[in-house]
Each structure stands twice: as C-alpha cells, then as structure tokens.
PDB file of all heavy atoms in Angstrom:
ATOM      1  N   ALA A  78       2.042   0.467 -29.642  1.00 98.00           N
ATOM      2  CA  ALA A  78       1.907   0.574 -28.198  1.00 98.00           C
ATOM      3  C   ALA A  78       1.165  -0.627 -27.624  1.00 98.00           C
ATOM      4  O   ALA A  78       1.570  -1.196 -26.601  1.00 98.00           O
ATOM      5  CB  ALA A  78       1.185   1.867 -27.837  1.00 98.00           C
ATOM      6  N   ARG A  79       0.092  -1.029 -28.267  1.00 98.00           N
ATOM      7  CA  ARG A  79      -0.691  -2.155 -27.739  1.00 98.00           C
ATOM      8  C   ARG A  79       0.033  -3.476 -27.882  1.00 98.00           C
ATOM      9  O   ARG A  79      -0.078  -4.349 -27.013  1.00 98.00           O
ATOM     10  CB  ARG A  79      -2.059  -2.165 -28.412  1.00 98.00           C
ATOM     11  CG  ARG A  79      -2.926  -1.039 -27.872  1.00 98.00           C
ATOM     12  CD  ARG A  79      -4.032  -0.635 -28.770  1.00 98.00           C
ATOM     13  NE  ARG A  79      -4.641   0.592 -28.249  1.00 98.00           N
ATOM     14  CZ  ARG A  79      -5.299   1.460 -28.989  1.00 98.00           C
ATOM     15  NH1 ARG A  79      -5.421   1.261 -30.293  1.00 98.00           N
ATOM     16  NH2 ARG A  79      -5.817   2.545 -28.440  1.00 98.00           N
ATOM     17  N   THR A  80       0.788  -3.621 -28.945  1.00 98.00           N
ATOM     18  CA  THR A  80       1.613  -4.817 -29.078  1.00 98.00           C
ATOM     19  C   THR A  80       2.650  -4.861 -27.965  1.00 98.00           C
ATOM     20  O   THR A  80       2.916  -5.915 -27.378  1.00 98.00           O
ATOM     21  CB  THR A  80       2.303  -4.846 -30.448  1.00 98.00           C
ATOM     22  OG1 THR A  80       1.308  -4.920 -31.476  1.00 98.00           O
ATOM     23  CG2 THR A  80       3.226  -6.050 -30.567  1.00 98.00           C
ATOM     24  N   ALA A  81       3.224  -3.700 -27.646  1.00 98.00           N
ATOM     25  CA  ALA A  81       4.209  -3.627 -26.571  1.00 98.00           C
ATOM     26  C   ALA A  81       3.587  -3.992 -25.225  1.00 98.00           C
ATOM     27  O   ALA A  81       4.205  -4.691 -24.410  1.00 98.00           O
ATOM     28  CB  ALA A  81       4.822  -2.228 -26.514  1.00 98.00           C
ATOM     29  N   ILE A  82       2.364  -3.514 -24.978  1.00 98.00           N
ATOM     30  CA  ILE A  82       1.665  -3.854 -23.730  1.00 98.00           C
ATOM     31  C   ILE A  82       1.449  -5.362 -23.637  1.00 98.00           C
ATOM     32  O   ILE A  82       1.760  -6.000 -22.624  1.00 98.00           O
ATOM     33  CB  ILE A  82       0.320  -3.121 -23.640  1.00 98.00           C
ATOM     34  CG1 ILE A  82       0.528  -1.609 -23.480  1.00 98.00           C
ATOM     35  CG2 ILE A  82      -0.511  -3.656 -22.464  1.00 98.00           C
ATOM     36  CD1 ILE A  82      -0.743  -0.792 -23.596  1.00 98.00           C
ATOM     37  N   GLU A  83       0.907  -5.936 -24.698  1.00 98.00           N
ATOM     38  CA  GLU A  83       0.611  -7.367 -24.704  1.00 98.00           C
ATOM     39  C   GLU A  83       1.864  -8.203 -24.467  1.00 98.00           C
ATOM     40  O   GLU A  83       1.877  -9.127 -23.639  1.00 98.00           O
ATOM     41  CB  GLU A  83      -0.045  -7.752 -26.032  1.00 98.00           C
ATOM     42  CG  GLU A  83      -0.439  -9.206 -26.118  1.00 98.00           C
ATOM     43  CD  GLU A  83      -1.176  -9.549 -27.406  1.00 98.00           C
ATOM     44  OE1 GLU A  83      -1.566  -8.610 -28.139  1.00 98.00           O
ATOM     45  OE2 GLU A  83      -1.349 -10.749 -27.686  1.00 98.00           O
ATOM     46  N   LYS A  84       2.934  -7.878 -25.176  1.00 98.00           N
ATOM     47  CA  LYS A  84       4.169  -8.650 -25.045  1.00 98.00           C
ATOM     48  C   LYS A  84       4.792  -8.476 -23.664  1.00 98.00           C
ATOM     49  O   LYS A  84       5.303  -9.439 -23.071  1.00 98.00           O
ATOM     50  CB  LYS A  84       5.160  -8.223 -26.129  1.00 98.00           C
ATOM     51  CG  LYS A  84       4.769  -8.683 -27.533  1.00 98.00           C
ATOM     52  CD  LYS A  84       5.834  -8.287 -28.554  1.00 98.00           C
ATOM     53  CE  LYS A  84       5.503  -8.837 -29.935  1.00 98.00           C
ATOM     54  NZ  LYS A  84       6.530  -8.452 -30.941  1.00 98.00           N
ATOM     55  N   ALA A  85       4.764  -7.256 -23.142  1.00 98.00           N
ATOM     56  CA  ALA A  85       5.365  -7.008 -21.831  1.00 98.00           C
ATOM     57  C   ALA A  85       4.620  -7.757 -20.731  1.00 98.00           C
ATOM     58  O   ALA A  85       5.236  -8.345 -19.831  1.00 98.00           O
ATOM     59  CB  ALA A  85       5.377  -5.512 -21.541  1.00 98.00           C
ATOM     60  N   VAL A  86       3.293  -7.731 -20.785  1.00 98.00           N
ATOM     61  CA  VAL A  86       2.495  -8.436 -19.778  1.00 98.00           C
ATOM     62  C   VAL A  86       2.732  -9.940 -19.878  1.00 98.00           C
ATOM     63  O   VAL A  86       2.938 -10.621 -18.860  1.00 98.00           O
ATOM     64  CB  VAL A  86       1.003  -8.097 -19.931  1.00 98.00           C
ATOM     65  CG1 VAL A  86       0.146  -9.017 -19.059  1.00 98.00           C
ATOM     66  CG2 VAL A  86       0.743  -6.643 -19.567  1.00 98.00           C
ATOM     67  N   ALA A  87       2.704 -10.475 -21.088  1.00 98.00           N
ATOM     68  CA  ALA A  87       2.915 -11.913 -21.273  1.00 98.00           C
ATOM     69  C   ALA A  87       4.275 -12.340 -20.748  1.00 98.00           C
ATOM     70  O   ALA A  87       4.403 -13.362 -20.052  1.00 98.00           O
ATOM     71  CB  ALA A  87       2.769 -12.278 -22.742  1.00 98.00           C
ATOM     72  N   ALA A  88       5.301 -11.547 -21.049  1.00 97.00           N
ATOM     73  CA  ALA A  88       6.647 -11.896 -20.602  1.00 97.00           C
ATOM     74  C   ALA A  88       6.771 -11.797 -19.086  1.00 97.00           C
ATOM     75  O   ALA A  88       7.366 -12.669 -18.441  1.00 97.00           O
ATOM     76  CB  ALA A  88       7.662 -10.983 -21.277  1.00 97.00           C
ATOM     77  N   ARG A  89       6.206 -10.753 -18.501  1.00 97.00           N
ATOM     78  CA  ARG A  89       6.339 -10.558 -17.050  1.00 97.00           C
ATOM     79  C   ARG A  89       5.584 -11.623 -16.272  1.00 97.00           C
ATOM     80  O   ARG A  89       6.042 -12.071 -15.210  1.00 97.00           O
ATOM     81  CB  ARG A  89       5.811  -9.171 -16.660  1.00 97.00           C
ATOM     82  CG  ARG A  89       6.028  -8.834 -15.194  1.00 97.00           C
ATOM     83  CD  ARG A  89       7.506  -8.668 -14.909  1.00 97.00           C
ATOM     84  NE  ARG A  89       7.782  -8.397 -13.515  1.00 97.00           N
ATOM     85  CZ  ARG A  89       8.018  -9.317 -12.582  1.00 97.00           C
ATOM     86  NH1 ARG A  89       7.998 -10.604 -12.936  1.00 97.00           N
ATOM     87  NH2 ARG A  89       8.277  -9.007 -11.336  1.00 97.00           N
ATOM     88  N   LEU A  90       4.438 -12.052 -16.778  1.00 97.00           N
ATOM     89  CA  LEU A  90       3.625 -13.029 -16.058  1.00 97.00           C
ATOM     90  C   LEU A  90       4.004 -14.469 -16.363  1.00 97.00           C
ATOM     91  O   LEU A  90       3.486 -15.388 -15.730  1.00 97.00           O
ATOM     92  CB  LEU A  90       2.140 -12.816 -16.368  1.00 97.00           C
ATOM     93  CG  LEU A  90       1.534 -11.490 -15.892  1.00 97.00           C
ATOM     94  CD1 LEU A  90       0.059 -11.429 -16.258  1.00 97.00           C
ATOM     95  CD2 LEU A  90       1.718 -11.301 -14.386  1.00 97.00           C
ATOM     96  N   SER A  91       4.879 -14.663 -17.329  1.00 95.00           N
ATOM     97  CA  SER A  91       5.290 -16.031 -17.652  1.00 95.00           C
ATOM     98  C   SER A  91       5.983 -16.677 -16.451  1.00 95.00           C
ATOM     99  O   SER A  91       5.921 -17.898 -16.255  1.00 95.00           O
ATOM    100  CB  SER A  91       6.232 -16.036 -18.858  1.00 95.00           C
ATOM    101  OG  SER A  91       7.417 -15.297 -18.585  1.00 95.00           O
ATOM    102  N   VAL A  92       6.632 -15.871 -15.630  1.00 88.00           N
ATOM    103  CA  VAL A  92       7.151 -16.292 -14.326  1.00 88.00           C
ATOM    104  C   VAL A  92       6.519 -15.344 -13.310  1.00 88.00           C
ATOM    105  O   VAL A  92       7.018 -14.227 -13.124  1.00 88.00           O
ATOM    106  CB  VAL A  92       8.680 -16.224 -14.252  1.00 88.00           C
ATOM    107  CG1 VAL A  92       9.160 -16.668 -12.875  1.00 88.00           C
ATOM    108  CG2 VAL A  92       9.315 -17.073 -15.337  1.00 88.00           C
ATOM    109  N   PRO A  93       5.405 -15.715 -12.696  1.00 80.00           N
ATOM    110  CA  PRO A  93       4.684 -14.793 -11.824  1.00 80.00           C
ATOM    111  C   PRO A  93       5.590 -14.169 -10.773  1.00 80.00           C
ATOM    112  O   PRO A  93       6.437 -14.845 -10.182  1.00 80.00           O
ATOM    113  CB  PRO A  93       3.622 -15.690 -11.162  1.00 80.00           C
ATOM    114  CG  PRO A  93       3.407 -16.784 -12.158  1.00 80.00           C
ATOM    115  CD  PRO A  93       4.760 -17.031 -12.770  1.00 80.00           C
ATOM    116  N   PRO A  94       5.467 -12.858 -10.564  1.00 84.00           N
ATOM    117  CA  PRO A  94       6.316 -12.180  -9.578  1.00 84.00           C
ATOM    118  C   PRO A  94       6.052 -12.692  -8.169  1.00 84.00           C
ATOM    119  O   PRO A  94       4.949 -13.136  -7.848  1.00 84.00           O
ATOM    120  CB  PRO A  94       5.927 -10.706  -9.728  1.00 84.00           C
ATOM    121  CG  PRO A  94       4.567 -10.726 -10.346  1.00 84.00           C
ATOM    122  CD  PRO A  94       4.522 -11.934 -11.224  1.00 84.00           C
ATOM    123  N   LYS A  95       7.066 -12.633  -7.354  1.00 84.00           N
ATOM    124  CA  LYS A  95       6.960 -13.097  -5.973  1.00 84.00           C
ATOM    125  C   LYS A  95       6.052 -12.172  -5.181  1.00 84.00           C
ATOM    126  O   LYS A  95       6.179 -10.950  -5.242  1.00 84.00           O
ATOM    127  CB  LYS A  95       8.343 -13.149  -5.326  1.00 84.00           C
ATOM    128  CG  LYS A  95       8.337 -13.680  -3.905  1.00 84.00           C
ATOM    129  CD  LYS A  95       9.748 -13.722  -3.332  1.00 84.00           C
ATOM    130  CE  LYS A  95       9.740 -14.240  -1.893  1.00 84.00           C
ATOM    131  NZ  LYS A  95      11.109 -14.276  -1.321  1.00 84.00           N
ATOM    132  N   ALA A  96       5.136 -12.769  -4.437  1.00 81.00           N
ATOM    133  CA  ALA A  96       4.195 -11.971  -3.655  1.00 81.00           C
ATOM    134  C   ALA A  96       4.885 -11.367  -2.447  1.00 81.00           C
ATOM    135  O   ALA A  96       5.619 -12.070  -1.738  1.00 81.00           O
ATOM    136  CB  ALA A  96       3.022 -12.829  -3.209  1.00 81.00           C
ATOM    137  N   PRO A  97       4.676 -10.077  -2.194  1.00 84.00           N
ATOM    138  CA  PRO A  97       5.215  -9.488  -0.963  1.00 84.00           C
ATOM    139  C   PRO A  97       4.438 -10.009   0.232  1.00 84.00           C
ATOM    140  O   PRO A  97       3.279 -10.441   0.096  1.00 84.00           O
ATOM    141  CB  PRO A  97       4.980  -7.989  -1.168  1.00 84.00           C
ATOM    142  CG  PRO A  97       3.808  -7.916  -2.092  1.00 84.00           C
ATOM    143  CD  PRO A  97       3.907  -9.115  -2.989  1.00 84.00           C
ATOM    144  N   ALA A  98       5.045  -9.994   1.380  1.00 78.00           N
ATOM    145  CA  ALA A  98       4.348 -10.409   2.588  1.00 78.00           C
ATOM    146  C   ALA A  98       3.317  -9.351   2.967  1.00 78.00           C
ATOM    147  O   ALA A  98       3.643  -8.166   3.073  1.00 78.00           O
ATOM    148  CB  ALA A  98       5.346 -10.612   3.728  1.00 78.00           C
ATOM    149  N   ALA A  99       2.057  -9.778   3.143  1.00 74.00           N
ATOM    150  CA  ALA A  99       1.028  -8.842   3.568  1.00 74.00           C
ATOM    151  C   ALA A  99       1.412  -8.264   4.930  1.00 74.00           C
ATOM    152  O   ALA A  99       1.895  -8.985   5.811  1.00 74.00           O
ATOM    153  CB  ALA A  99      -0.321  -9.541   3.647  1.00 74.00           C
ATOM    154  N   THR A 100       1.229  -6.962   5.086  1.00 74.00           N
ATOM    155  CA  THR A 100       1.664  -6.302   6.312  1.00 74.00           C
ATOM    156  C   THR A 100       0.533  -5.501   6.943  1.00 74.00           C
ATOM    157  O   THR A 100      -0.463  -5.176   6.290  1.00 74.00           O
ATOM    158  CB  THR A 100       2.828  -5.338   6.028  1.00 74.00           C
ATOM    159  OG1 THR A 100       2.374  -4.302   5.149  1.00 74.00           O
ATOM    160  CG2 THR A 100       3.998  -6.067   5.398  1.00 74.00           C
ATOM    161  N   ALA A 101       0.715  -5.205   8.226  1.00 75.00           N
ATOM    162  CA  ALA A 101      -0.222  -4.333   8.934  1.00 75.00           C
ATOM    163  C   ALA A 101       0.559  -3.259   9.681  1.00 75.00           C
ATOM    164  O   ALA A 101       0.191  -2.840  10.772  1.00 75.00           O
ATOM    165  CB  ALA A 101      -1.086  -5.153   9.891  1.00 75.00           C
ATOM    166  N   VAL A 102       1.670  -2.822   9.078  1.00 84.00           N
ATOM    167  CA  VAL A 102       2.533  -1.812   9.693  1.00 84.00           C
ATOM    168  C   VAL A 102       1.900  -0.429   9.524  1.00 84.00           C
ATOM    169  O   VAL A 102       1.523  -0.055   8.403  1.00 84.00           O
ATOM    170  CB  VAL A 102       3.934  -1.839   9.057  1.00 84.00           C
ATOM    171  CG1 VAL A 102       4.809  -0.757   9.663  1.00 84.00           C
ATOM    172  CG2 VAL A 102       4.561  -3.215   9.232  1.00 84.00           C
ATOM    173  N   PRO A 103       1.757   0.346  10.585  1.00 92.00           N
ATOM    174  CA  PRO A 103       1.157   1.681  10.460  1.00 92.00           C
ATOM    175  C   PRO A 103       1.964   2.593   9.537  1.00 92.00           C
ATOM    176  O   PRO A 103       3.195   2.570   9.542  1.00 92.00           O
ATOM    177  CB  PRO A 103       1.162   2.204  11.895  1.00 92.00           C
ATOM    178  CG  PRO A 103       1.238   0.994  12.749  1.00 92.00           C
ATOM    179  CD  PRO A 103       2.070   0.012  11.981  1.00 92.00           C
ATOM    180  N   SER A 104       1.263   3.349   8.734  1.00 95.00           N
ATOM    181  CA  SER A 104       1.865   4.357   7.870  1.00 95.00           C
ATOM    182  C   SER A 104       1.211   5.695   8.169  1.00 95.00           C
ATOM    183  O   SER A 104       0.140   5.757   8.791  1.00 95.00           O
ATOM    184  CB  SER A 104       1.670   4.003   6.396  1.00 95.00           C
ATOM    185  OG  SER A 104       2.403   2.854   6.046  1.00 95.00           O
ATOM    186  N   THR A 105       1.855   6.764   7.695  1.00 97.00           N
ATOM    187  CA  THR A 105       1.288   8.101   7.842  1.00 97.00           C
ATOM    188  C   THR A 105       1.022   8.672   6.458  1.00 97.00           C
ATOM    189  O   THR A 105       1.935   8.755   5.630  1.00 97.00           O
ATOM    190  CB  THR A 105       2.240   9.036   8.607  1.00 97.00           C
ATOM    191  OG1 THR A 105       2.475   8.502   9.910  1.00 97.00           O
ATOM    192  CG2 THR A 105       1.630  10.434   8.739  1.00 97.00           C
ATOM    193  N   LEU A 106      -0.223   9.038   6.205  1.00 98.00           N
ATOM    194  CA  LEU A 106      -0.602   9.678   4.945  1.00 98.00           C
ATOM    195  C   LEU A 106      -0.876  11.147   5.211  1.00 98.00           C
ATOM    196  O   LEU A 106      -1.675  11.485   6.093  1.00 98.00           O
ATOM    197  CB  LEU A 106      -1.842   9.013   4.348  1.00 98.00           C
ATOM    198  CG  LEU A 106      -2.338   9.596   3.026  1.00 98.00           C
ATOM    199  CD1 LEU A 106      -1.309   9.384   1.914  1.00 98.00           C
ATOM    200  CD2 LEU A 106      -3.679   8.990   2.626  1.00 98.00           C
ATOM    201  N   THR A 107      -0.212  12.008   4.458  1.00 98.00           N
ATOM    202  CA  THR A 107      -0.369  13.454   4.600  1.00 98.00           C
ATOM    203  C   THR A 107      -0.827  14.030   3.266  1.00 98.00           C
ATOM    204  O   THR A 107      -0.273  13.690   2.217  1.00 98.00           O
ATOM    205  CB  THR A 107       0.964  14.111   5.009  1.00 98.00           C
ATOM    206  OG1 THR A 107       1.458  13.480   6.188  1.00 98.00           O
ATOM    207  CG2 THR A 107       0.783  15.599   5.253  1.00 98.00           C
ATOM    208  N   VAL A 108      -1.846  14.873   3.289  1.00 98.00           N
ATOM    209  CA  VAL A 108      -2.398  15.455   2.065  1.00 98.00           C
ATOM    210  C   VAL A 108      -2.534  16.963   2.235  1.00 98.00           C
ATOM    211  O   VAL A 108      -3.105  17.442   3.225  1.00 98.00           O
ATOM    212  CB  VAL A 108      -3.780  14.850   1.720  1.00 98.00           C
ATOM    213  CG1 VAL A 108      -4.336  15.506   0.458  1.00 98.00           C
ATOM    214  CG2 VAL A 108      -3.679  13.344   1.544  1.00 98.00           C
ATOM    215  N   ARG A 109      -1.987  17.690   1.268  1.00 97.00           N
ATOM    216  CA  ARG A 109      -2.136  19.152   1.235  1.00 97.00           C
ATOM    217  C   ARG A 109      -3.188  19.499   0.195  1.00 97.00           C
ATOM    218  O   ARG A 109      -3.038  19.187  -0.989  1.00 97.00           O
ATOM    219  CB  ARG A 109      -0.817  19.829   0.899  1.00 97.00           C
ATOM    220  CG  ARG A 109      -0.897  21.366   0.897  1.00 97.00           C
ATOM    221  CD  ARG A 109       0.485  21.985   0.757  1.00 97.00           C
ATOM    222  NE  ARG A 109       0.439  23.437   0.738  1.00 97.00           N
ATOM    223  CZ  ARG A 109       0.363  24.207   1.827  1.00 97.00           C
ATOM    224  NH1 ARG A 109       0.305  23.655   3.021  1.00 97.00           N
ATOM    225  NH2 ARG A 109       0.344  25.518   1.728  1.00 97.00           N
ATOM    226  N   TRP A 110      -4.262  20.146   0.644  1.00 97.00           N
ATOM    227  CA  TRP A 110      -5.394  20.479  -0.209  1.00 97.00           C
ATOM    228  C   TRP A 110      -5.278  21.899  -0.747  1.00 97.00           C
ATOM    229  O   TRP A 110      -4.643  22.771  -0.125  1.00 97.00           O
ATOM    230  CB  TRP A 110      -6.698  20.335   0.568  1.00 97.00           C
ATOM    231  CG  TRP A 110      -6.905  18.968   1.123  1.00 97.00           C
ATOM    232  CD1 TRP A 110      -6.470  18.498   2.328  1.00 97.00           C
ATOM    233  CD2 TRP A 110      -7.568  17.883   0.477  1.00 97.00           C
ATOM    234  NE1 TRP A 110      -6.823  17.181   2.471  1.00 97.00           N
ATOM    235  CE2 TRP A 110      -7.496  16.777   1.360  1.00 97.00           C
ATOM    236  CE3 TRP A 110      -8.221  17.726  -0.746  1.00 97.00           C
ATOM    237  CZ2 TRP A 110      -8.049  15.539   1.041  1.00 97.00           C
ATOM    238  CZ3 TRP A 110      -8.776  16.503  -1.061  1.00 97.00           C
ATOM    239  CH2 TRP A 110      -8.681  15.424  -0.179  1.00 97.00           C
ATOM    240  N   GLN A 111      -5.919  22.155  -1.847  1.00 93.00           N
ATOM    241  CA  GLN A 111      -5.992  23.522  -2.374  1.00 93.00           C
ATOM    242  C   GLN A 111      -6.856  24.386  -1.469  1.00 93.00           C
ATOM    243  O   GLN A 111      -6.614  25.583  -1.327  1.00 93.00           O
ATOM    244  CB  GLN A 111      -6.550  23.491  -3.799  1.00 93.00           C
ATOM    245  CG  GLN A 111      -6.536  24.818  -4.527  1.00 93.00           C
ATOM    246  CD  GLN A 111      -7.753  25.675  -4.229  1.00 93.00           C
ATOM    247  OE1 GLN A 111      -8.813  25.166  -3.869  1.00 93.00           O
ATOM    248  NE2 GLN A 111      -7.597  26.985  -4.378  1.00 93.00           N
ATOM    249  N   SER A 112      -7.841  23.769  -0.834  1.00 91.00           N
ATOM    250  CA  SER A 112      -8.826  24.516  -0.046  1.00 91.00           C
ATOM    251  C   SER A 112      -8.645  24.275   1.443  1.00 91.00           C
ATOM    252  O   SER A 112      -8.639  23.128   1.910  1.00 91.00           O
ATOM    253  CB  SER A 112     -10.242  24.093  -0.461  1.00 91.00           C
ATOM    254  OG  SER A 112     -11.203  24.590   0.438  1.00 91.00           O
TER     255      SER A 112
END
C-alpha cells in the first residue's frame, strides 16, 4: 500500500496538475444534525 502511495504521488506530481481558477461564487451548505 505504501509503495503504491509513493509511486502514485510521484507520477501525478511529475506533471503538476493545472490550478483551478480561485473563485468567490456563493454556495449553499446544508447540514442535517442528529440533535
């Protein structure tokens, strides 16, 4: 498992992923509580 983590991270970061554009678009967060 740890070898898989190391290899996957190394491979994915070898070409850094494209950064998403930072946004300030309003979102709605809804939470249902037990109490």
Side-chain angles (χ1 to χ4, degrees):
R79 286 158 190 155
T80 297
I82 292 171
E83 182 176 349
K84 289 183 176 180
V86 170
R89 185 68 182 90
L90 295 181
S91 61
V92 180
K95 183 179 179 180
T100 63
V102 178
S104 292
T105 300
L106 180 65
T107 305
V108 179
R109 182 172 179 82
W110 302 88
Q111 187 275 335
S112 169

